[in-house]
Amino acid sequence: HTPTIVMRLKTQVQPKPVHAGLVSSVGWCGNELFSCSDDGAIWRWDKNGEPAANAPLCACDTSFTEINWLPSIAPAGAGGMGRRTVDSVDNIFAVGCTDGSFRLITKQGRVEKVVKSAHTGAVTAVRWSYDGSLITSGEDGALKIWSRKGLPRTTLLQTGKCIYSVVLSPNSDTILVACGKELILKPLQTSVKQFQWVAHDGTVLKVDWNPVNNLIVSGGEDCRYKVWDSFGRLLYASAACEHPVTSVAWCPDGQLFAVGSFNSIRLCDKTGWSYSKERISTGSIFDITWTSDGTQLAGAGGNGAVCFATLVDRRVEWNNFCVSVDENHCVLVSDVSRGPIEDLGSRERVVKMQMDYGHFILCTTTQCLIYDTGKWSNPIPIDVKDNVTLVQLSEKYFVLVDTTGVQVYNYEGRLMCSPKFKGLRPDFLNGDTVSVSSQHIALVERTEPTRIHVFDIQTGKPSGVQLLHGTPIVQVLLSQNRTNNEPKVAIIDKNGDLFVSPLLARNILKVSAMVDTARWNDTLDMLAAVTDNKFIVWFYPQALFVEPDFLPKSTFSVPSDFGRNSRVVSFDGSHCRVRTVHGALLTVGVPPFAALLHRYVERRDWAYALKLCRFVHEPALWATLAAMALAAREMSAAEPALAAIEEVDKLRFLKYLGNMNTVPEVTNITDVVISTVGIVAHNPAATTLVKNKHRMQRTFKCATHPLCTPE
């Protein structure tokens, strides 16, 4: 099975706070944390939660409100785009003050610039953009942009009400503003109209926007936190908490986010449901910040304490194996039938781990280890240059994504290829925009999300076909059937429409609408999806290219109450596992006969395929066999299958063609069968004339007549 992750936060708070007032904000720079407070002091901390010195880094005669580090863009690689980094080249941060000013301070504590009277009243938020501009907001309701040196550029927005939180969009072309009960999307281009909506019943106190999943999380005085898409559509709304939600923050990889409230911090999945809630003695958590590898976070406490929290008890499962990471970074392997069997002995921080297809991939801060589940000893090491943000496995290869690029390896540790194209942004890639199979890797372009780049893994070169779609793509899925020479790709666009296409041809056809999630079978060409309160499995999606009428007939569906934004996390054999919107992991059984039929057809054992269908005698199985037989040009299996599903018109026409001795201008009679069935089905003029009387010869002549052609 695909991983089931169960985790919590291990928290640590100093017995005696070093700050004399409430801690208003915290920010990481590498492995060091910096905190600012109402007492006008800035303290430096190590990653273990201890002050780095016996005295504050610097102290001022005013209270601080928020701290934000200047990010940097590393040199552009072959992909044509620079990568985002957490550690600033200039080692400088901006800090807002309650007297209406803001300061630019170096990592060593030297004040480079003081900009007085930046706002009337307190500066409530400071945020650097990736071009070096500084964005500030204040109690006066103004949103202003400043240069890297602190020189004023423009006042972008004047709301008349206090702005509590500001965050930039992933592409840095829009600013999200929390003002009163509303969230405002303010484009940097004056020609683009701003968009706003009522987000909470009380004042919105904090907001964050993740660049990887492009989702927004907000928290407010109504004691709720909510998840939104980039168009302002509500995806999740929590139940009312005990106290107002004072802080929210996304994990860098976009899989988790943290929610801070009075004396509590909560760890949540990106869809909104909660993993754990930890009680801490810090007062209200006014700010949360994550480390760049997403394994640790820090919170700013209202009683002057700084809270440190580490992700622990992470687990992945596959078949009988379960691998877990405890709070001491020990990696333990268990077999559900035999109990603990191995201690992998890692003492480094585990950044990512994944298990599937008989292999376990463990990524730490310095290396990636490849384990064979058949023998857990002697892993194959791979050095990594930066924090790994994504691991994805297929039967023969696996993908590592970090901020430097995309790498495809085999399970012997050999680098197969590093796909690159203009506009590649590795820091924006996630599990929905990357898909790998035994032959290809597909990547959705971030700057133009209607385009899919496909690369051949063996050569590392583009496959020659770029799939284009008219609507932005939110998920791409490659079929995992390695025995098929015609790989398929499934895509879900932002409208929730599911499409399937041959990977190496431009023939994208719609399968279904209102699809929340989809997944291919781990070895066969079956596709599962959650759509419109139903769970559906298409036994043979290629039927869409053979005869579209067969597609709805060759499905298995059951009503479901999984909820919106549920996800199919695995489809192995005849079992599907679905993560519901509430976090429950449910298993849905799929009739095993379809998988057995696929295996018979792969071996071209049509006699056993017919015996299976006659034994089960299910219309969906017969329709699947009919589509498979027509696609394989196996008329001996197609005829009884068509008869079983009462496709009399197609059956009689097949028999008519079989009795023909010669067909003009045709060398292969089965080509006529396939093309003619398609013509009749897609040509309403011909079908309406003679279909009901089953005059197949007349049907063929009418369908191919110039006056009745689809054009």
Side-chain angles (χ1 to χ4, degrees), residues 630-667:
L630 287 174
R633 299 183 172 93
E634 186 65 39
M635 298 303 111
S636 61
E639 291 180 1
L642 290 173
I645 58 177
E646 300 180 355
E647 291 286 348
V648 181
D649 52 344
K650 299 177 180 60
L651 174 61
R652 292 195 61 180
F653 187 61
L654 288 182
K655 290 185 175 294
Y656 163 74
L657 290 178
N659 293 329
M660 293 177 61
N661 294 325
T662 59
V663 179
E665 300 180 2
V666 174
T667 57

Side-chain angles (χ1 to χ4, degrees), residues 685-707:
T687 306
T688 303
L689 286 174
V690 293
K691 180 179 178 181
N692 294 334
K693 294 185 178 181
H694 310 302
R695 295 165 55 186
M696 294 302 145
Q697 184 176 6
R698 180 61 177 165
T699 303
F700 177 72
K701 292 180 180 179
C702 290
T704 55
H705 194 278
L707 295 178

Side-chain angles (χ1 to χ4, degrees), residues 343-659:
D343 182 356
L344 302 185
S346 175
R347 293 298 183 267
E348 295 184 76
R349 279 190 299 170
V350 176
V351 178
K352 289 288 181 182
M353 58 182 183
Q354 189 75 285
M355 183 163 53
D356 212 343
Y357 294 99
H359 292 87
F360 173 62
I361 308 298
L362 177 71
C363 298
T364 67
T365 54
T366 59
Q367 62 181 346
C368 171
L369 300 175
I370 307 171
Y371 291 89
D372 188 334
T373 57
K375 50 179 182 179
W376 290 95
S377 58
N378 301 322
I380 300 174
I382 300 174
D383 293 332
V384 295
K385 299 178 181 179
D386 209 336
N387 293 324
V388 175
T389 59
L390 176 66
V391 181
Q392 196 173 97
L393 282 66
S394 68
E395 187 173 11
K396 296 171 63 177
Y397 308 105
F398 69 95
V399 178
L400 292 182
V401 179
D402 56 27
T403 52
T404 64
V406 181
Q407 298 88 34
V408 181
Y409 293 89
N410 64 13
Y411 292 110
E412 296 176 354
R414 177 188 172 192
L415 179 63
M416 303 302 298
C417 66
S418 297
K420 294 181 177 66
F421 57 86
K422 186 177 180 180
L424 174 64
R425 298 300 300 267
D427 48 336
F428 285 164
L429 295 175
N430 58 44
D432 291 337
T433 55
V434 178
S435 184
V436 62
S437 68
S438 297
Q439 301 171 351
H440 301 89
I441 179 173
L443 306 168
V444 178
E445 186 175 327
R446 182 57 183 262
T447 56
E448 189 179 353
T450 59
R451 184 185 304 272
I452 300 176
H453 295 266
V454 182
F455 295 84
D456 186 281
I457 293 178
Q458 291 288 344
T459 63
K461 298 179 179 179
S463 62
V465 175
Q466 288 187 3
L467 296 177
L468 294 174
H469 189 56
T471 308
I473 298 168
V474 297
Q475 188 176 11
V476 58
L477 300 157
L478 292 180
S479 62
Q480 301 297 318
N481 189 353
R482 62 184 176 88
T483 63
N484 197 333
N485 294 324
E486 297 180 358
K488 274 73 64 181
V489 59
I491 60 175
I492 301 176
D493 62 24
K494 75 172 186 179
N495 295 328
D497 295 330
L498 174 64
F499 296 82
V500 171
S501 171
L503 184 61
L504 304 179
R506 296 183 179 91
N507 188 18
I508 302 177
L509 297 181
K510 184 176 179 178
V511 177
S512 180
M514 302 177 67
V515 176
D516 296 321
T517 176
R519 191 176 184 93
W520 289 100
N521 186 273
D522 60 340
T523 57
L524 303 172
D525 284 342
M526 295 193 295
L527 186 63
V530 176
T531 169
D532 194 20
N533 295 324
K534 291 190 297 183
F535 174 79
I536 300 180
V537 177
W538 290 275
F539 292 149
Y540 191 64
Q542 297 93 303
L544 197 62
F545 307 101
V546 177
E547 171 52 59
D549 289 345
F550 292 165
L551 185 66
K553 297 180 179 180
S554 57
T555 62
F556 166 77
S557 66
V558 292
S560 69
D561 55 354
F562 298 144
R564 188 180 177 186
N565 298 322
S566 58
R567 295 187 65 82
V568 180
V569 297
S570 70
F571 186 10
D572 304 327
S574 58
H575 295 88
C576 262
R577 295 201 303 171
V578 180
R579 178 77 72 177
T580 69
V581 69
H582 303 295
L585 189 62
L586 304 180
T587 299
V588 182
V590 179
F593 307 110
L596 191 57
L597 180 62
H598 271 274
R599 295 187 179 96
Y600 285 147
V601 172
E602 286 177 358
R603 301 199 301 261
R604 303 193 66 81
D605 199 340
W606 297 101
Y608 275 94
L610 284 169
K611 288 181 180 180
L612 175 66
C613 291
R614 290 187 178 113
F615 175 76
V616 179
H617 198 60
E618 283 288 336
L621 207 62
W622 279 116
T624 303
L625 178 60
M628 289 177 167
L630 287 174
R633 299 183 172 93
E634 186 65 39
M635 298 303 111
S636 61
E639 291 180 1
L642 290 173
I645 58 177
E646 300 180 355
E647 291 286 348
V648 181
D649 52 344
K650 299 177 180 60
L651 174 61
R652 292 195 61 180
F653 187 61
L654 288 182
K655 290 185 175 294
Y656 163 74
L657 290 178
N659 293 329

